[in-house]
């Protein structure tokens, strides 16, 4: 069928008659949760929804590498024409993103249903407090490859789901820092930099551990983000959302984690993704609130859709009730970040290695006992039993820096690499250049060992580096790139620029050309220098 015919058919099928009233339905609803929406289902649903209400419009986040527009729904009452209209607005901006992994599809259905139901309410209380941004389909390339062979262990939808990767074979939830995909570039520039949502939730499906709760979720964890925000999330916001979801909406839920051994759940509940390549952690580095939602892979599709639906509602309930406090807190954290960069103290540091410890309080997970079984070929595997078992165990999610470097006043970059500059600017980082030549004391990084990984990771032989910082006084030419840390995105800038972080420009090969001389042994100095103490530098913005 050609696209137009598919579009027409989808439009016809998007409605059903309910008591004489026409109700817009998702592909999941009209198939009794046997199918998930394909691209044209989603786009048709959105355009029909736009006809029902003047409080919604659509923007485009990006065009995928296979040529599909990634939609962004903007819902507000009144509907803001641009972010500038929200400058003195009391409402809080919340962004829900779904289908980043296109095999994990319930967020897509739940977000569309939620938008429809919210707009069909006569006088939705939520819209007095929230401007809601929704991307129901972040990875259309992956979504268009719907097949029953994708994620076969997942409990539905029986007619199949898409694949994890986008059209470039990239995992978009590893692309937060290097931003190589149009989708991630688009969400950074057209959602995060443009609308600056206070809260962002990324919707996924879990991969394995057995438990009863259909919904799990957790907060951003990278300790180079603001600890004030991490503590707020883990001590107040996430527990309260969890209670609302259970008590008000009757959805069992727990914080996201995995058992390290299903045979010994007592060992603990582990969250092992602290890097900012993951979108929710990336958002934390930006001094904003990031939530990772993972719905339980073995819960049936309909249960997962409704679980996610009510999680969205619980998030918006919380954001509505606490909008002023959250907005004020984010402003304060930005100001604190800028102030630190104006005059970094001896105690200001930046983590380059992390360890995890459990939270002071244990968590309760309703799990099942598992058995070790041996098949006819002698292969052993772990199988879930029907014997339910509730465990109260340590939650390993409190990441802390086990190795630090000094947090500087500024970074000076001595190579004018357009890709590097574009990436920094794309993230929203303020980039300047020296107006005049300058001779100043700095710390330079002397490399002693540089290794590429043996196996490609997201198309990269990622680097690990060893070396040490040395004090030196260096002549910098006019035009040397300057990144001051007195800016709200300083934590993100440091993560990208420090040589020893696990998710920066060094890791992802951006500086490879500048490190190894053509002849001889050894290395060039790493091309980013640290100005440790406050100093007067004359700079001009880099356009
Ligand atoms: Zn996922």
């Amino acid at each position: 069928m050609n696209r137009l015919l598919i579009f027409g058919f989808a439009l016809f099928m998007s409605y059903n008659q309910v008591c004489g009233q026409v109700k817009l339905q998702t592909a999941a609803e009209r198939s009794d949760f046997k199918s998930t929406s394909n691209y044209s289902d989603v786009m048709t649903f959105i355009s029909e929804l736009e006809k029902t209400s003047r409080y919604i419009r659509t923007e485009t986040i990006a065009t995928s590498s296979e040529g599909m527009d990634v939609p962004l729904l903007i819902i507000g009452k009144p509907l803001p024409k641009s972010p500038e209209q929200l400058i003195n607005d009391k409402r809080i901006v919340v962004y829900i993103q779904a289908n980043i992994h296109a095999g994990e599809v319930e967020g897509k259905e739940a977000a569309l249903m939620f938008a429809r139901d919210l707009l069909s309410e006569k006088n939705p209380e939520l819209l007095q407090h929230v401007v809601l941004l929704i991307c129901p389909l972040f990875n259309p390339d992956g979504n268009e490859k719907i097949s029953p062979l994708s994620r076969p262990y997942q409990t539905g939808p029986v007619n199949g789901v898409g694949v994890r990767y986008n059209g470039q074979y990239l995992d978009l939830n590893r692309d937060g820092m290097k931003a190589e995909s149009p989708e991630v570039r688009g969400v950074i520039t057209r959602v995060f930099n443009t609308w600056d949502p206070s809260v962002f939730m990324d919707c996924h499906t879990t991969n394995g551990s057995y438990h009863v709760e259909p919904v799990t979720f957790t907060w951003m964890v990278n300790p180079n983000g603001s600890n004030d925000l991490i503590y707020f999330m883990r001590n107040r916001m996430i527990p309260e959302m969890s209670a609302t979801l259970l008590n008000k909406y009757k959805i069992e839920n727990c914080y996201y984690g995995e058992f390290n051994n299903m045979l010994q759940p007592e060992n603990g509940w582990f969250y092992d993704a602290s890097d900012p390549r993951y979108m929710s952690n990336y958002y934390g580095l930006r001094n904003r609130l990031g939530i990772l939602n993972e719905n339980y892979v073995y819960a049936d599709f309909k249960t997962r859709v409704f679980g996610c639906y009510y999680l969205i509602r619980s998030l918006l309930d919380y954001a509505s009730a606490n909008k002023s406090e959250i907005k004020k807190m984010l402003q304060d954290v930005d100001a604190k970040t800028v102030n630190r960069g104006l005059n970094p103290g001896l105690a200001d540091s930046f983590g380059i290695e992390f360890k995890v410890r459990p939270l002071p309080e244990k968590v309760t997970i309703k799990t099942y006992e598992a058995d070790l079984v041996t098949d006819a070929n002698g292969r052993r595997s772990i199988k879930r039993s029907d014997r339910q078992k509730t465990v109260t165990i340590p939650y390993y999610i409190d990441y802390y820096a086990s190795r630090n470097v000094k947090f500087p006043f500024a970074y000076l970059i001595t190579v004018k690499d357009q890709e590097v500059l574009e990436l920094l600017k794309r993230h929203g980082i303020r980039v300047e250049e020296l107006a005049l030549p300058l001779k100043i004391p700095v710390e330079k990084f002397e490399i002693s060992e540089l290794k590429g990984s043996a196996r490609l990771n997201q198309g990269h032989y990622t680097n690990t580096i060893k070396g040490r910082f040395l004090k030196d006084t260096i002549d910098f030419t006019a035009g040397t790139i300057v990144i001051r840390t007195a800016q709200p995105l300083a934590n993100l800038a440091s993560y990208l620029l420090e040589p020893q972080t696990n998710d920066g420009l060094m890791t992802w090969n951006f500086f490879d050309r500048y490190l190894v001389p053509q002849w001889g042994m050894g290395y060039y100095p790493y091309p980013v220098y640290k100005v440790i103490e406050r100093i007067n530098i004359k700079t001009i913005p880099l356009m």
Side-chain angles (χ1 to χ4, degrees):
M1 260 197 285
N2 69 31
R3 287 227 159 184
L4 202 66
L5 265 172
I6 295 171
F7 189 79
F9 184 66
L11 181 63
F12 172 72
M13 292 298 290
S14 297
Y15 287 93
N16 78 333
Q17 296 284 131
V18 183
C19 307
Q21 273 194 327
V22 177
K23 191 182 178 194
L24 186 58
Q25 285 198 314
T26 63
E29 290 170 304
R30 63 176 191 263
S31 68
D32 196 21
F33 295 88
K34 292 186 174 61
S35 299
T36 190
S37 305
N38 63 25
Y39 184 70
S40 77
D41 291 327
V42 170
M43 299 311 274
T44 306
F45 187 96
I46 293 170
S47 68
E48 289 305 304
L49 192 56
E50 279 182 321
K51 290 180 197 160
T52 69
S53 170
R54 58 200 168 93
Y55 303 123
I56 176 171
R57 68 187 173 82
T58 310
E59 293 186 354
T60 297
I61 291 179
T63 302
S64 74
S65 59
E66 293 181 1
M68 283 168 275
D69 285 349
V70 178
L72 176 69
L73 312 186
I74 296 162
I75 299 173
K77 191 181 175 186
L79 183 62
K81 287 202 178 69
S82 70
E84 288 71 40
Q85 289 190 338
L86 295 178
I87 288 170
N88 291 315
D89 199 290
K90 297 255 184 307
R91 291 173 291 174
I92 185 168
V93 180
V94 177
Y95 172 52
I96 309 291
Q97 180 175 283
N99 222 75
I100 184 170
H101 293 144
E104 306 170 13
V105 293
E106 59 272 10
K108 172 179 57 184
E109 309 297 341
L112 290 173
M113 287 160 59
F114 188 82
R116 173 199 63 201
D117 294 350
L118 184 65
L119 290 169
S120 69
E121 281 176 41
K122 267 230 164 64
N123 206 1
E125 156 89 17
L126 275 179
L127 288 186
Q128 292 174 24
H129 309 290
V130 176
V131 172
L132 179 60
L133 309 183
I134 295 176
C135 175
L137 178 50
F138 190 60
N139 177 5
D141 292 351
N143 195 69
E144 285 309 85
K145 299 177 180 75
I146 288 175
S147 157
L149 301 177
S150 292
R151 291 173 70 84
Y153 51 90
Q154 182 168 290
T155 312
V158 291
N159 292 333
V161 295
V163 299
R164 186 175 182 89
Y165 310 106
N166 79 340
Q168 301 163 292
Y169 269 60
L170 288 177
D171 183 335
L172 300 178
N173 201 29
R174 303 293 183 273
D175 199 34
M177 298 295 273
K178 61 187 172 59
E180 294 178 305
S181 64
E183 294 86 355
V184 169
R185 287 178 178 184
V187 72
I188 291 172
T189 54
R190 296 185 190 169
V191 183
F192 299 160
N193 292 344
T194 305
W195 291 97
D196 192 20
S198 298
V199 192
F200 155 51
M201 182 162 78
D202 201 23
C203 303
H204 295 252
T205 314
T206 65
N207 272 330
S209 291
Y210 299 123
H211 51 83
V212 171
E213 299 86 348
V215 176
T216 81
F217 59 113
T218 200
W219 54 91
M220 73 280 191
V221 299
N222 191 283
N224 283 323
S226 156
N227 281 341
D228 294 349
L229 298 186
I230 293 173
Y231 278 51
F232 170 77
M233 294 290 268
R234 83 178 205 202
N235 294 333
R236 293 189 45 203
M237 183 167 176
I238 299 290
E240 207 168 303
M241 281 173 59
S242 170
T244 302
L245 186 54
L246 178 65
N247 299 327
K248 188 169 164 189
Y249 301 118
K250 311 298 174 204
I251 306 280
E252 290 205 82
N253 67 90
C254 60
Y255 301 153
Y256 174 58
E258 302 280 349
F259 298 111
N260 65 354
N261 181 351
M262 269 311 306
L263 297 173
Q264 290 173 317
E266 295 78 11
N267 290 356
W269 191 233
F270 294 85
Y271 179 59
D272 67 358
S274 67
D275 306 340
R277 68 193 64 179
Y278 301 93
M279 297 304 292
S280 52
N281 291 332
Y282 169 79
Y283 212 50
L285 274 193
R286 295 180 64 107
N287 290 348
R288 297 293 178 266
L289 306 176
I291 300 173
L292 171 69
N293 160 226
E294 297 268 0
N295 305 301
Y296 180 48
V297 63
Y298 303 120
D300 68 81
F301 182 43
K302 186 174 181 181
T303 300
R304 299 203 311 273
V305 171
F306 279 97
C308 183
Y309 178 99
Y310 285 109
L311 178 65
I312 295 171
R313 201 166 265 281
S314 303
L315 164 56
L316 295 177
D317 284 352
Y318 189 87
S320 299
N322 298 279
K323 62 180 177 182
S324 310
E325 187 192 355
I326 292 173
K327 288 172 73 165
K328 168 84 169 56
M329 181 177 60
L330 299 181
Q331 262 179 11
D332 290 349
V333 167
D334 277 352
K336 203 167 154 183
T337 305
V338 171
N339 273 331
R340 176 191 54 173
L342 285 173
N343 198 2
L346 276 179
D348 288 319
S349 63
F350 196 80
I352 53 168
E353 282 177 15
F354 311 109
K355 284 189 177 154
V356 65
R357 60 194 163 205
L359 294 184
E361 307 81 26
K362 292 182 173 177
V363 291
T364 297
I365 313 291
K366 291 182 178 173
T367 184
Y368 298 91
E369 286 179 23
D371 298 315
L372 194 59
V373 292
T374 308
D375 68 14
N377 299 320
R379 270 194 300 263
R380 303 212 297 177
S381 62
I382 289 172
K383 213 167 173 245
R384 197 203 91 174
S385 76
D386 291 329
R387 304 185 301 276
Q388 210 178 295
K389 176 180 180 178
T390 298
V391 290
T392 297
I393 52 179
Y395 185 23
Y396 286 85
I397 194 170
D398 185 12
Y399 282 85
Y400 63 97
S402 52
R403 218 176 129 212
N404 290 296
V405 291
K406 283 182 200 159
F407 186 83
F409 172 71
Y411 294 93
L412 301 181
I413 310 175
T414 52
V415 292
K416 254 195 171 150
D417 185 294
Q418 289 310 311
E419 266 186 74
V420 168
L421 298 179
E422 270 168 33
L423 184 75
L424 293 169
K425 285 195 268 184
R426 185 172 282 134
H427 279 290
I429 291 164
R430 202 171 70 239
V431 182
E432 299 172 295
E433 56 184 354
L434 284 182
L436 301 167
L438 183 70
K439 187 174 185 178
I440 41 166
V442 290
E443 280 197 356
K444 68 174 181 189
F445 190 77
E446 187 186 74
I447 301 171
S448 59
E449 188 184 296
L450 175 66
K451 271 190 185 161
S453 58
R455 187 179 163 84
L456 281 167
N457 175 10
Q458 303 295 314
H460 287 266
Y461 291 109
T462 49
N463 287 323
T464 46
I465 194 173
K466 285 184 182 160
R468 58 182 180 155
F469 282 104
L470 296 172
K471 286 186 175 31
D472 200 353
T473 298
I474 291 183
D475 277 305
F476 293 93
T477 58
T480 297
I481 303 301
V482 180
I483 311 290
R484 295 176 191 267
T485 58
Q487 54 177 311
L489 293 178
N491 293 329
L492 175 58
S494 287
Y495 219 113
L496 289 164
L497 293 170
E498 284 289 342
Q500 295 155 293
T501 63
N502 57 3
D503 213 347
L505 296 175
M506 176 72 209
T507 317
W508 295 110
N509 311 106
F510 282 84
F511 287 129
D512 280 9
R513 290 198 290 273
Y514 312 112
L515 303 176
V516 181
Q518 185 171 5
W519 288 287
M521 305 291 285
Y523 302 94
Y524 290 128
Y526 180 69
V528 182
Y529 296 79
K530 292 169 75 169
V531 181
I532 299 297
E533 284 169 27
R534 184 190 177 108
I535 191 168
N536 267 335
I537 310 181
K538 230 180 156 40
T539 52
I540 47 175
L542 185 81
M543 292 306 170

